[in-house]
Amino acid sequence: MVKRPLGISIIGYFYIFGSIVLLFTSIFYQAGADTIGMSERFGVSVVPERIMRVVVAFFSLLMAYGYMRLKKWGFWLLITYSVLFGLISFILLTNEPQQPFIGNFVFSIIVLIYTIYVKEAFFKIAPSNQSI
C-alpha cells in the first residue's frame, strides 16, 4: 500500500472545501453586473449559472475523491482540471480589469507542479506475492 503524501491530502481537502462552498453558494447565487459566472468562464454561457456551479462542485468532489485515493483517473482528472482552469484564469487575468483570477492561476500552477512531482504515488504497482 502506498502512503499518501501530505500535499495530496491538503490539495484534496481544498477541493472538497471549495466544492462544498460552491454547492452552498449555488443556492444563494445572485449575479452581479460585474461578475463573470462559472458558465462564462468555461465557455458554456447557455448553461444556467446555478446548474453549472452544481456540476463543477460535484465534478470537483469526484476528482478530489480519486486524487486522495491515489487513483490514476484522479491524477489525470486533476491534471486536466488544473490545466483547463489555470488556462481560463490566465486568459481572464489578461482580459479583465478586476483581478480575482491571479490567485486561481497561481493555485492551478502550484497544484499542477506538485501533482507531477508526486506522480509516482499514483503509478506505483503493488508488490505481488508471486515467487520465481
Side-chain angles (χ1 to χ4, degrees):
M1 179 108 175
V2 177
K3 186 176 181 205
R4 180 174 61 210
L6 178 62
I8 290 176
S9 295
I10 292 169
I11 291 168
Y13 289 131
F14 268 116
Y15 277 106
I16 290 169
F17 176 74
S19 298
I20 292 168
V21 169
L22 197 55
L23 282 172
F24 182 73
T25 60
S26 68
I27 296 168
F28 302 107
Y29 180 74
Q30 297 293 323
D34 293 339
T35 61
I36 298 174
M38 295 291 281
S39 296
E40 286 183 69
R41 288 182 197 179
F42 284 97
V44 288
S45 55
V46 295
V47 177
E49 183 63 24
R50 286 188 176 156
I51 292 173
M52 187 65 182
R53 286 175 171 261
V54 170
V55 167
V56 171
F58 280 119
F59 177 82
S60 294
L61 283 173
L62 176 70
M63 179 182 66
Y65 172 81
Y67 187 70
M68 291 180 69
R69 296 284 183 189
L70 302 177
K71 303 291 186 187
K72 289 178 188 175
W73 58 265
F75 171 85
W76 289 114
L77 279 179
L78 193 88
I79 291 290
T80 304
Y81 184 83
S82 293
V83 168
L84 178 66
F85 202 69
L87 184 62
I88 290 168
S89 296
F90 180 75
I91 291 168
L92 291 172
L93 175 70
T94 61
N95 292 337
E96 294 296 320
Q98 296 176 340
Q99 288 311 312
F101 307 108
I102 195 165
N104 292 339
F105 176 69
V106 170
F107 184 72
S108 293
I109 295 299
I110 291 170
V111 167
L112 192 60
I113 291 170
Y114 180 78
T115 300
I116 291 170
Y117 177 73
V118 296
K119 70 180 176 191
E120 63 273 355
F122 294 92
F123 294 97
K124 285 221 182 224
I125 300 172
S128 65
N129 294 334
Q130 297 176 349
S131 299
I132 297 180

